[in-house]
Amino acid sequence: MSFLKLTAATLLAIAPLTLQAENFTTAAEVRPILETIKDKWIAIRVEGNEDYVFFTPIVSWRCGVDSVQFGFNDEPPTRALEMAECHTEFSNPNVMVDGDPIPLVTAPANTVESVTIRMMYDDGSLSESIIPRKQVLIP
């Protein structure tokens, strides 16, 4: 069999797996991404009298995640992050649409020194990260 025919046969054989994996709707698909960016799950920016804590990186890969809890500074991660359901009707189910919760939590300015985040994936596994302010502060 020629190289070209072998390559074409291989691509056709794995195409369904590739297409399925592009949806990123399960823990198995999103965990590698979220674990790679674990130290950047949030961003913090001071706006006026408030700290804005953005959870955009998590929400961008939320399909495959059952829940996210967080706590500021010494608080345990017991506050629930509100996230939209996966939009499986679209080719990109992680897309945000009008009416979805904004991935933002506020606190008084300069009071958030760290954020503890506990994430539960849809397979029941947990991941936790403590992220210091200075690591994710947006100037």
Side-chain angles (χ1 to χ4, degrees):
M1 185 179 281
S2 74
F3 175 74
L4 186 55
K5 286 182 183 177
L6 183 59
T7 303
T10 303
L11 289 174
L12 288 174
I14 66 168
L17 298 175
T18 305
L19 292 174
Q20 181 182 9
E22 288 179 0
N23 288 331
F24 297 100
T25 58
T26 67
E29 294 166 339
V30 300
R31 183 186 300 107
I33 297 163
L34 286 167
E35 292 301 311
T36 299
I37 62 168
K38 193 173 191 171
D39 60 338
K40 304 264 189 295
W41 278 352
I42 60 160
I44 299 173
R45 182 180 190 121
V46 179
E47 291 288 335
N49 296 333
E50 294 181 305
D51 278 348
Y52 282 17
V53 182
F54 297 96
F55 290 83
T56 312
I58 292 174
V59 172
S60 296
W61 298 104
R62 71 187 178 279
C63 297
V65 174
D66 267 353
S67 63
V68 175
Q69 289 81 36
F70 67 94
F72 294 148
N73 306 324
D74 294 327
E75 295 176 350
T78 56
R79 297 171 61 179
L81 178 65
E82 186 179 5
M83 296 189 299
E85 297 292 320
C86 290
H87 296 291
T88 55
E89 68 274 23
F90 299 116
S91 61
N92 177 2
N94 287 292
V95 69
M96 292 183 67
V97 299
D98 287 342
D100 281 354
I102 304 296
L104 168 71
V105 177
T106 61
N110 301 304
T111 61
V112 177
E113 291 302 318
S114 67
V115 180
T116 301
I117 302 169
R118 181 178 302 133
M119 183 180 311
M120 178 181 282
Y121 291 99
D122 66 6
D123 64 4
S125 63
L126 292 173
S127 186
E128 191 167 304
S129 186
I130 300 173
I131 304 171
R133 175 190 190 89
K134 64 181 178 184
Q135 183 174 303
V136 293
L137 187 63
I138 300 170

